[in-house]
Amino acid sequence: LFRHKIWREIDTREKINLPFRYSADENNGNQRFISILLQAIQDEVVTVFSNVDDRFTTPMTKSEVGKVISGDAIDVPIYDENGNLTGTKKMVNDINFDSFYKFRIKEEVIFDKESSRLFWRILGIAPVMNVYTAQTNQFVGTQELFWVYYPDMRPIFSKYDVYNGKNYGARMSWEDLFESRMFYG
């Protein structure tokens, strides 16, 4: 009867979203959400789509994703012990996982007339980056880095446990967190 698309922004600095920032290393690697997402991209088990649009039409390669995350290579001058310029070397910025604290989620809200229920279906997830000007380093806005199709990520999310400091009895996977909507956006 009713279908509508919604875009949410999850800010991991809010208290209910703190599991997204949990950075301890467990048996299957770093438990930070961005780390799980990037590991799936590194292992090429999921297709990454460009941020040109959020309709999942333009796939990206692993090298394109790396370039988007770390930025373009810059020339760094190399000096000798006397302070004379001897050459330049191309370097790429290191990835700081703490700098990714916002995620956009594209969802579909569906009202089923037969069962008289409202369903929420997550379609995609995108990490968000803050954009600054080059000269004055002023904040301009935010931009999605890339989009990942959520139904492709569900098997991966089901393998990783979510940290919950208040409940040690019942474990929850990332898939359970998203399906039971245990986040705020």
Side-chain angles (χ1 to χ4, degrees):
L1 182 69
F2 175 77
R3 178 177 290 197
H4 190 68
K5 289 194 174 44
I6 295 175
W7 289 261
R8 293 185 188 275
E9 189 166 274
I10 295 175
D11 190 350
T12 61
R13 296 172 294 183
E14 294 184 21
K15 190 171 185 177
I16 193 168
N17 297 330
L18 284 180
F20 285 87
R21 297 180 70 185
Y22 178 63
S23 63
D25 288 322
E26 299 292 333
N27 296 343
N28 50 1
N30 193 333
Q31 298 298 299
R32 193 178 281 135
F33 181 73
I34 188 68
S35 174
I36 295 168
L37 200 60
L38 293 177
Q39 185 63 43
I41 294 167
Q42 181 72 26
D43 295 342
E44 296 181 352
V45 294
V46 67
T47 305
V48 181
F49 296 96
S50 175
N51 65 348
V52 174
D53 61 358
D54 55 3
R55 294 180 305 165
F56 313 109
T57 57
T58 312
M60 295 174 69
T61 63
K62 188 168 48 169
S63 62
E64 289 174 339
V65 171
K67 190 174 182 180
V68 166
I69 291 173
S70 62
D72 293 327
I74 56 172
D75 291 325
V76 177
I78 300 173
Y79 298 100
D80 61 3
E81 60 274 350
N82 297 330
N84 299 326
L85 181 66
T86 58
T88 60
K89 183 168 88 171
K90 291 235 182 236
M91 295 196 68
V92 180
N93 293 331
D94 289 335
I95 298 171
N96 182 8
F97 290 134
D98 290 328
S99 64
F100 298 101
Y101 57 86
K102 287 187 179 180
F103 297 92
R104 287 221 175 98
I105 293 186
K106 180 181 179 182
E107 298 179 302
E108 206 171 36
V109 180
I110 304 164
F111 182 73
D112 186 14
K113 187 169 114 176
E114 290 181 15
S115 63
S116 296
R117 288 188 53 199
L118 191 66
F119 294 99
W120 299 83
R121 195 174 107 197
I122 299 175
L123 298 175
I125 300 173
V128 176
M129 168 181 80
N130 290 335
V131 179
Y132 297 95
T133 58
Q135 286 87 13
T136 59
N137 205 17
Q138 289 182 336
F139 179 72
V140 178
T142 59
Q143 172 189 4
E144 298 103 1
L145 294 174
F146 53 82
W147 283 94
V148 176
Y149 190 56
Y150 176 74
D152 291 345
M153 286 296 294
R154 282 182 73 179
I156 295 144
F157 287 155
S158 67
K159 295 177 186 174
Y160 290 92
D161 287 336
V162 175
Y163 170 73
N164 184 356
K166 296 185 178 181
N167 187 0
Y168 297 109
R171 299 174 69 150
M172 180 188 303
S173 68
W174 281 102
E175 181 192 14
D176 297 335
L177 180 130
F178 284 115
E179 295 300 317
S180 62
R181 312 213 32 93
M182 298 284 291
F183 59 89
Y184 175 75

